[in-house]
Each structure stands twice: as C-alpha cells, then as structure tokens.
Amino acid sequence: PPSSLHHHLNNSKSMPELTIEYVKSELGDFDEECIFQAVLSRRNIPRINSLAQCSNLRWLDLSSNVIIRMENLEGLAQLVSLDLSNNKIAKIEGLGGLPVLERLQLRSNPIARIQDLEGLRSAQPSLRQLSLQHIDGSEFCPVCLKAEYRRTVSELCPQLTTLDSKRKGLPDLEREVRYFEESQHLELPKVEPWFDQSEFDPGDLYKPELVELYLSDETKALEAALADAKKVFAEAENALKKQLQSSSEGPVVGE
C-alpha cells in the first residue's frame, strides 16, 4: 500500500548509513585521515559500516543509536575508546581487530546471557576499562544481574583494571558493609580489672601516730625556722621603733 511505502521511505531516511561520506558530512571534515574523534550519538544509526579509512580515529561514540551488532571494526588501529551504550546489541564480538582499545562502554544493551560475554576473550591486552552498567547499577545490561557476571568477566579479561567504574583489587565496600550488618552480634570478652581492691588499702600508712613519727624531723626543722623568723621580725620591729623615736626627738634648729 502507498502508506506503507511512504512509511518505509521515511524510516529509511531517518536511519542513515554509517559511511565515510556520512561521517565527514556530520563532523565537517574533508579528510578522513584528519578525524581523531567522532561523536555520532543519537543519529538512529542501525549498523556499523567499515570505518577503516579513518586510520587516525581514536575516540568513537556511537551511543544511543539502534545498532544491533558489533561489526566492521577492523582496521581502526588507533582506536582507544569505543562507546556503544544504549543500542540494541545482544552480544559482545568483533574486538579482535582493535589492537590499542583501552575503554569499551556497552551500558543499556540487551546483553543477557553469560555466553554473550564470550567475545571479550578476543579483546587485546590493551583493554583496561569495561562498562556494562554505571557504578550505582543504573543503565545495566541484563547479564549484570547474573551471580557469575563479575567472575566471568575477570576470567575472560584478566587484564582489566576497571569494571563498571569499580577498580579491581580494591575492597568491595558494599559487600563489607553487608557482611558487617548481617554478622552475628559480637560477644566481647569480660574485662578483667587491672587492680585488686586490696591494692588500694593503705593499711597503717595513714595512722596519725605513724604520720607524726614520719614527719617529726621535718616538723622540728619547720618549728626552728619559724622561731628564727619570729626573732628576725622582732629585731626588725625594734629597730624601726628606735628610728622613728630618734626622728621625732631630733635637735631643734635655733633662730
């Protein structure tokens, strides 16, 4: 019917073919060898055509399209980062021809089975960062919910340093907190006192007669010093009185 044909033609126009000419037109470049970064997200691109002519391409962002397969990536010898998040990719494949790829993002794709991760085995040793979900678990691929997900990825790509924005080798804080919360109540050992009550008993130490005996020499010395001080004060007081008396009885000056 004419309406179906019209819809098909409109849909074809809205799903561009990823050719070199299209890439150069979208990026405003005239020389494919001068393309180092290509951000082509949200273009409704259905598949990846060969981009091998972009021999210096280092960063390729094809996120939020309708791509169903990882293909035709061979020849991108300088590609370091590839973002295919938010597409319709069902399994990982086609990584063998990317010799220096370091970062691969595949969040929000319908990758659901553990065997769909098998394509990671062909990834080059350069691959260090892989993301199939955000660190908070959002925008996840269904396979991320599998219990063996992280272990399988580690076995397929032992060279990874970061998976889903979590660095490998660091403690899993969420698991540690969960373990602490679920663990049984700890029974602390009974605290033994450092001192026995008997050690605080002064015994005969504070009896008045013993205190007086212990301090007798110091008491005598203090009393002697006090007596000397009183004697000195008395002599000083007498000297002061004599001085005041002689001052008041001084000679009268004649006329």
Side-chain angles (χ1 to χ4, degrees):
S3 58
S4 298
L5 177 61
H6 180 71
H7 174 76
H8 175 74
L9 292 174
N10 285 340
N11 192 46
S12 298
K13 290 180 181 179
S14 64
M15 300 179 71
E17 186 176 354
L18 189 62
T19 62
I20 294 296
E21 289 72 22
Y22 174 80
V23 172
K24 291 193 293 185
S25 173
E26 290 295 298
L27 300 179
D29 286 300
F30 297 98
D31 186 354
E32 57 267 21
E33 293 186 359
C34 294
I35 299 175
F36 298 95
Q37 175 176 302
V39 179
L40 298 168
S41 60
R42 303 181 186 281
R43 299 294 206 287
N44 211 31
I45 297 171
R47 69 185 297 261
I48 304 172
N49 296 82
S50 177
L51 297 175
Q53 290 174 265
C54 299
S55 57
N56 292 311
L57 184 61
R58 296 179 60 82
W59 185 295
L60 178 58
D61 183 352
L62 292 172
S63 62
S64 300
N65 284 292
V66 289
I67 297 170
I68 61 174
R69 186 176 179 184
M70 297 173 64
E71 59 184 344
N72 298 321
L73 296 170
E74 302 82 2
L76 297 177
Q78 303 300 320
L79 190 66
V80 174
S81 178
L82 175 60
D83 190 349
L84 292 170
S85 301
N86 293 283
N87 277 283
K88 299 183 181 300
I89 297 169
K91 73 174 185 175
I92 299 175
E93 56 187 331
L95 297 177
L98 302 173
V100 296
L101 184 67
E102 297 178 5
R103 184 184 186 196
L104 176 62
Q105 299 184 70
L106 289 165
R107 295 185 300 273
S108 288
N109 276 289
I111 302 172
R113 303 176 303 170
I114 288 295
Q115 53 264 43
D116 295 332
L117 302 173
E118 189 66 27
L120 289 171
R121 196 180 298 277
S122 64
Q124 299 299 318
S126 58
L127 186 61
R128 290 288 184 268
Q129 301 178 39
L130 175 65
S131 178
L132 276 75
Q133 62 180 341
H134 283 302
I135 192 171
D136 62 356
S138 61
E139 295 191 22
F140 61 91
C141 298
V143 72
C144 298
L145 303 178
K146 301 285 186 180
E148 63 271 35
Y149 161 66
R150 297 188 69 86
R151 176 180 56 79
T152 302
V153 172
S154 295
E155 292 175 355
L156 294 172
C157 273
Q159 76 274 19
L160 285 179
T161 59
T162 304
L163 176 59
D164 301 332
S165 299
K166 294 182 180 180
R167 288 189 61 85
K168 291 176 62 178
L170 294 179
D172 188 338
L173 297 182
E174 292 182 1
R175 186 177 62 182
E176 294 294 332
V177 170
R178 189 165 58 252
Y179 173 78
F180 179 78
E181 291 176 347
E182 294 175 355
S183 63
Q184 296 181 355
H185 177 69
L186 296 177
E187 294 185 3
L188 298 177
K190 183 179 179 181
V191 179
E192 295 292 337
W194 287 9
F195 300 99
D196 188 273
Q197 182 64 32
S198 61
E199 296 181 77
F200 291 95
D201 185 6
D204 296 336
L205 183 62
Y206 294 117
K207 286 186 176 181
E209 58 270 20
L210 292 178
V211 173
E212 184 177 354
L213 177 63
Y214 292 150
L215 298 179
S216 59
D217 293 341
E218 287 77 5
T219 302
K220 292 176 181 179
L222 180 60
E223 290 176 348
L226 183 58
D228 291 341
K230 289 181 177 180
K231 182 179 179 181
V232 170
F233 279 121
E235 292 175 354
E237 187 177 5
N238 291 333
L240 180 60
K241 288 180 179 180
K242 290 179 180 180
Q243 185 177 4
L244 292 174
Q245 186 177 2
S246 61
S247 298
S248 61
E249 296 176 354
V252 179
V253 179
E255 293 182 358

